[in-house]
Structures are given as C-alpha cells and as structure tokens.
Amino acid sequence: GNNPWYKLMMGDLYNQTRQFSLGEPYWCQLTELFPENLEYQNNYAMSLIEQQKLKEAVAVYDRMEKLLGPDEQLIEAKKSIYLYLNKVEEAAREIKTLAEAYPNDPKYLVEVADIYRVNRQMKKAIPYLEAACRLDSSNAKVLGFLYDYYMEQQKEKEAYAVLEKLFVQPEVSLEFKQAVMSNCFLSFLKDTALFSRTFHLADLLSQSHPQVGSVWALKADVLTASEKYDEAIACLQHSLSLDSSQYRVWQ
C-alpha cells in the first residue's frame, strides 16, 4: 500500500492498459509523496486528460510550472485545453506569459494575436500584431493580417504604411502585390491625388522584383495614366528586354 515502487508499478500498468481512472489515484499519491518529480506530475496530468478532467489537469500543469518557470510545452498544453473548453481569454493569457518572459521574441505576440484572430476578436489581436511588427517589421504574416484589418476598418493611411513594408520584401507573393496594385490603380484613376502613393508602390515593386517584366509594365501603366509618357516608354522598353513575349506591352 505505502510502497512508492508498488504505486509506480500500478500507475504504469494502468496507463499502459489505458485504464486511466484506475491509475489516477496512484499518480495522485506519488505526486503528493514526491512533489518535485516532474515525471509523476506529467503522468498524473495525462491520466486526468484522458478522463476529460481538464480543469484538474491544468492545476497539475500549474504546479509543474512553479517548479520549471515559464515552460513552452506546459503552456502550450494549457493553451490547448483552454481552447478546447472555449476559454479564449485564458488561452491567450497563457501565451502572454511567454511573451512577457521573452520580450524580444515576436513569435509569442503573434501567437496571442492568432488566438484572438481565429476566435474573431480582431480588435484584441491588433495591439499584439503591432507590437510584433515593432520587433520584426519584415514579418509578412503579421503585415498581411494588419493590412487586411486596416482595410476592413477603412484606415487607409495605416494600410498604406503596411503595404510599404510588404512591397520591399521579395519573398512576399508577387500575385498578392499585383492584386493590391490593381486595386490601387483603379483608385488612382478615380482620384489623381493618389498618384504619388500608387507610383511609390509600383516603384517599390520594381525594386523588389527587378527581373519580372510584367512589374515594369505595371509601373508603365501608372506613368501613362499620369501622362508621364517618356518615363512610361522607358519602363515598357525595359519590360520587353526582360520578357519579349508580352503582347500587351508590344501593343
């Protein structure tokens, strides 16, 4: 009965045969006898999770965290449980612990934002995305989320600032950039005051993708619409030197 080796043997046996409700008392007793043994704590938590005793499992992970400090695996386990229970704020709070422990690593800020974003709480996600962007201004995933949000909120100035950061990155999808440019070009045709902004994006695009002929053709379109024909012709000629098969450019 009080022999710890017997308890360990019985706990292991019941875990291996997936009789978790029978093994639980043994793991509980072992964690009381050896509170600093993380293996016993982990087995206890597992037996609870397998029985859907999720709140009790979180309490065990909390005790483990007191021994280990902010531990990524433990916190991710707790986050998963809270999300399963649809406790979004509790799940976010767990990852915020890691964000505070590692203030120079943007990935935890992004993870907090992701929790809110997936659960349609975008307003709560934005401060974390913006903080992540301050740490890593080239994070395309973060910038993409920010751009979509600012456009939805009709915050054109903020959206444009994000686009500037996206357009200078060669690894960001050219298809995405060209789609954005098409929208900007349509806006420019309606409001010529937007020319400088549209041209600046076209210029950034030609810098980040200098070997793509269609990019220079797009830049020429913006210049043509603004009646800057000499500059437009130079861009069209350069476009054809990169890709002579562009029928639209020859036209």
Side-chain angles (χ1 to χ4, degrees):
N2 289 324
N3 186 329
W5 300 113
Y6 169 77
K7 297 179 194 297
L8 179 59
M9 183 181 69
M10 293 303 292
D12 276 334
L13 178 65
Y14 285 128
N15 272 18
Q16 288 168 17
T17 55
R18 300 193 63 79
Q19 299 181 72
F20 297 104
S21 62
L22 296 175
E24 180 196 332
Y26 294 103
W27 293 118
C28 180
Q29 291 166 31
L30 284 166
T31 57
E32 288 171 356
L33 289 169
F34 305 100
E36 295 189 3
N37 188 307
L38 295 170
E39 185 183 348
Y40 296 164
Q41 299 270 11
N42 198 47
N43 277 306
Y44 184 26
M46 185 181 76
S47 71
L48 292 165
I49 289 170
E50 291 288 347
Q51 298 174 79
Q52 291 288 301
K53 295 181 177 180
L54 301 179
K55 290 180 182 177
E56 293 91 329
V58 167
V60 176
Y61 284 141
D62 283 339
R63 291 201 294 272
M64 292 174 72
E65 197 177 336
K66 283 181 181 176
L67 296 171
L68 289 171
D71 179 84
E72 188 167 9
Q73 285 185 311
L74 282 179
I75 287 173
E76 286 290 342
K78 287 195 284 179
K79 180 197 84 171
S80 297
I81 289 172
Y82 282 130
L83 288 177
Y84 179 80
L85 295 170
N86 201 29
K87 294 189 172 185
V88 176
E89 205 56 54
E90 286 85 345
R93 186 187 64 216
E94 290 297 332
I95 305 304
K96 287 175 191 177
T97 303
L98 288 172
E100 289 165 7
Y102 303 98
N104 295 318
D105 192 338
K107 75 175 182 179
Y108 300 116
L109 293 167
V110 176
E111 192 171 349
V112 174
D114 250 356
I115 291 170
Y116 286 131
R117 185 184 63 84
V118 169
N119 287 279
R120 299 180 181 180
Q121 297 182 33
M122 199 60 188
K123 282 188 177 179
K124 288 185 178 180
I126 290 302
Y128 294 95
L129 288 173
E130 289 176 336
C133 199
R134 284 193 291 273
L135 288 173
D136 179 10
S137 62
S138 65
N139 189 313
K141 180 182 178 183
V142 171
L143 292 169
F145 289 153
L146 283 172
Y147 173 70
D148 288 342
Y149 175 76
Y150 290 142
M151 288 300 287
E152 285 170 12
Q153 299 296 310
Q154 298 183 324
K155 295 183 175 181
E156 290 187 6
K157 184 180 177 183
E158 290 87 344
Y160 177 69
V162 169
L163 282 181
E164 285 185 300
K165 293 175 182 176
L166 279 169
F167 269 51
V168 297
Q169 298 180 56
E171 65 274 12
V172 173
S173 159
L174 179 58
E175 289 75 18
F176 165 77
K177 293 174 183 173
Q178 288 178 321
V180 169
M181 277 302 305
S182 295
N183 289 334
C184 288
F185 189 64
L186 290 172
S187 299
F188 164 48
L189 292 176
K190 295 175 188 174
D191 181 1
T192 52
L194 293 173
F195 170 73
S196 62
R197 180 184 296 182
T198 307
F199 178 74
H200 182 51
L201 290 177
D203 198 36
L204 291 176
L205 193 59
S206 66
Q207 291 173 40
S208 60
H209 300 277
Q211 300 303 315
V212 181
S214 61
V215 164
W216 290 92
L218 187 60
K219 188 174 180 179
D221 284 342
V222 179
L223 289 163
T224 300
S226 191
E227 300 181 1
K228 294 178 181 286
Y229 300 118
D230 290 343
E231 292 174 60
I233 288 171
C235 286
L236 289 172
Q237 289 173 335
H238 187 61
S239 175
L240 289 172
S241 73
L242 293 168
D243 180 5
S244 61
S245 68
Q246 298 179 89
Y247 175 70
R248 185 179 71 83
V249 177
W250 280 111
Q251 270 192 316

